[in-house]
Amino acid sequence: MTDVIFKLLEALVGFSSGFLFGGVYIGLMIVLGVIPRMVQLIRLRRFVTYLISSLMLGVFTGTVFSFFDYHTNFTPFALVFWGFFHGIFNGMLAAALVEVLNVFPLLARRLHLERYMLMLLMAIVLGKIFGSLIQWLFLNEIIKQFIISS
Amino acid sequence: MTRVYVRMQKKVKAKYADELKLGDIAFIQAPEDIKQKFQKVSIHTVTKKDGEFIVIEGFLLLSILQKVFPDVEFELVGPTETIIQVESRKFKPSVVFVFVVWVVLFIGTAMSIMNFHYDVGMPEVHETIHYIFTGERTSQPLWIQIPYSIGLGIGMVLFLNHWFKKRINEEPSPLEIELFKYEQDIDEYIRHYENDLNDDRRHF
């Protein structure tokens, strides 16, 4: 009997934490402006509800991936598609964070760099690509070996 | 009695010791023959004491004009204050300076994206995804990671609507809106705090 009660309690904890995280996740996406920006960029206002369902399905799939030990035998080429879209999404997220921190208005006013804004913007874009690439190509391996050896 | 409409300009640039005339800081709607006369009225001469910003209230402007032309009725439309920005020696950023800032931003973002990746444990997630898709375990799932890195840049370009000078479409990007808002906030602050009428120790 107590066994069942504890299991139900566990389910309740799981459900409520999932409930909260789901809300927080969608809220974050909207507050950071990733979803509104996408909708506005490709003029998809009529399909907003479908986009939200894509988010929900995505979160669900991610949860399944992280909790179940299951695998298929695709070629690694399938991952190119996956990684590419993953990158676009994260890029928008990163750009949104730069926005929120208001680095650019400060650069423009304090350092009088209004004319060079686009060049500096490209520094940020290329910096992200470069940083990401050297991490995956070299750094990650070196750090892992360092952790194993110590 | 003639009626003259005065529309103040939002922001005007001036140099030290400039004599600002009504025509410099406002648009005037008046009969052609007397318009010239109005535009030549001296409103303010920039002095050292003024600092970088001067705010001229519509109320002050009207009182000056009324004194000079007692028989003309003035009506104020549009902005109620003009901000005058006194340009001291022009600050021209050199190429070296721009380059230094460029490098700072470049290295800064490169580091922050790496920190972000380790923060959220992305290497492990990539390895797991690689395993789920292909069934083999590897510590370097480059098939997902290189497209990811390229997509990262594309996503940022999409969000900010700019690839160097090229724009994706006509509408202002979030960056431009942010710059505009910041500018507006500063103007609002100046309008309040540099305005002698709002100063307790008013000196006019």
Side-chain angles (χ1 to χ4, degrees), chain A residues 32-34 37-38 40-41 43 64-66 68-100 102-141 143-144, chain B residues 11 53 85 91-95 97-98 101-103 105-107 109-118 122-124 126-166 168-176 178-179 182-183 186-187 190:
Chain A
L32 283 179
V34 174
R37 183 81 187 119
M38 240 171 181
Q40 179 216 16
L41 204 65
R43 316 203 189 292
V64 171
F65 277 2
S66 46
F68 294 88
D69 191 24
Y70 169 80
H71 71 85
T72 53
N73 291 314
F74 285 133
T75 62
F77 291 105
L79 285 170
V80 174
F81 174 82
W82 189 274
F84 184 65
F85 285 101
H86 171 29
I88 292 183
F89 186 83
N90 260 16
M92 294 185 91
L93 201 65
L97 285 171
V98 174
E99 281 303 302
V100 171
N102 277 343
V103 179
F104 278 103
L106 271 174
L107 280 177
R109 295 288 302 204
R110 290 287 139 264
L111 303 180
H112 301 272
L113 292 173
E114 290 99 331
R115 285 205 297 133
Y116 304 97
M117 227 56 295
L118 291 182
M119 245 160 95
L120 298 175
L121 197 64
M122 287 307 117
I124 289 199
V125 171
L126 296 177
K128 290 269 185 230
I129 298 176
F130 178 76
S132 177
L133 278 177
I134 59 165
Q135 179 181 16
W136 305 133
L137 291 175
F138 315 109
L139 254 164
N140 209 14
E141 287 302 289
I143 288 173
K144 264 189 198 146
Chain B
K11 211 168 183 185
F53 295 103
Q85 187 170 9
F91 180 83
K92 269 258 170 61
S94 69
V95 181
F97 182 64
V98 176
V101 175
W102 200 95
V103 170
L105 285 178
F106 182 81
I107 293 176
T109 41
M111 288 309 291
S112 72
I113 197 71
M114 283 190 248
N115 282 327
F116 168 74
H117 287 156
Y118 282 121
M122 201 175 284
E124 287 76 26
H126 279 168
E127 281 160 33
T128 316
I129 286 288
H130 190 271
Y131 172 70
I132 289 171
F133 272 57
T134 64
E136 48 188 86
R137 295 200 181 275
T138 167
S139 63
Q140 261 193 319
L142 291 183
W143 282 108
I144 187 167
Q145 288 172 335
I146 291 173
Y148 164 78
S149 307
I150 296 163
L152 199 62
I154 292 177
M156 291 192 75
V157 167
L158 272 181
F159 190 90
L160 299 167
N161 198 11
H162 272 298
W163 175 246
F164 288 97
K165 288 257 156 70
K166 199 169 152 32
I168 296 160
N169 58 28
E170 278 287 301
E171 60 200 27
S173 73
L175 176 65
E176 281 155 328
E178 207 61 41
L179 282 167
Y182 189 75
E183 203 113 300
I186 286 186
D187 283 353
I190 290 166

Side-chain angles (χ1 to χ4, degrees), chain B residues 39-152:
Chain B
Q39 280 176 334
K40 292 243 171 68
V41 181
S42 175
I43 302 296
H44 185 86
T45 305
V46 183
T47 59
K48 273 250 159 61
K49 208 177 68 190
D50 286 327
E52 202 186 339
F53 295 103
I54 310 164
V55 174
I56 296 197
E57 268 260 353
F59 178 74
L60 267 179
L61 192 73
L62 286 186
S63 63
I64 293 170
L65 290 173
Q66 215 82 79
K67 241 179 253 163
V68 186
F69 305 102
D71 53 345
V72 179
E73 196 180 330
F74 291 98
E75 190 145 341
L76 206 63
V77 288
T80 52
E81 300 103 336
T82 300
I83 297 174
I84 293 155
Q85 187 170 9
V86 181
E87 285 172 325
S88 41
R89 51 185 179 75
K90 188 86 178 137
F91 180 83
K92 269 258 170 61
S94 69
V95 181
V96 180
F97 182 64
V98 176
F99 179 73
V100 169
V101 175
W102 200 95
V103 170
V104 167
L105 285 178
F106 182 81
I107 293 176
T109 41
M111 288 309 291
S112 72
I113 197 71
M114 283 190 248
N115 282 327
F116 168 74
H117 287 156
Y118 282 121
D119 225 22
V120 298
M122 201 175 284
E124 287 76 26
V125 175
H126 279 168
E127 281 160 33
T128 316
I129 286 288
H130 190 271
Y131 172 70
I132 289 171
F133 272 57
T134 64
E136 48 188 86
R137 295 200 181 275
T138 167
S139 63
Q140 261 193 319
L142 291 183
W143 282 108
I144 187 167
Q145 288 172 335
I146 291 173
Y148 164 78
S149 307
I150 296 163
L152 199 62

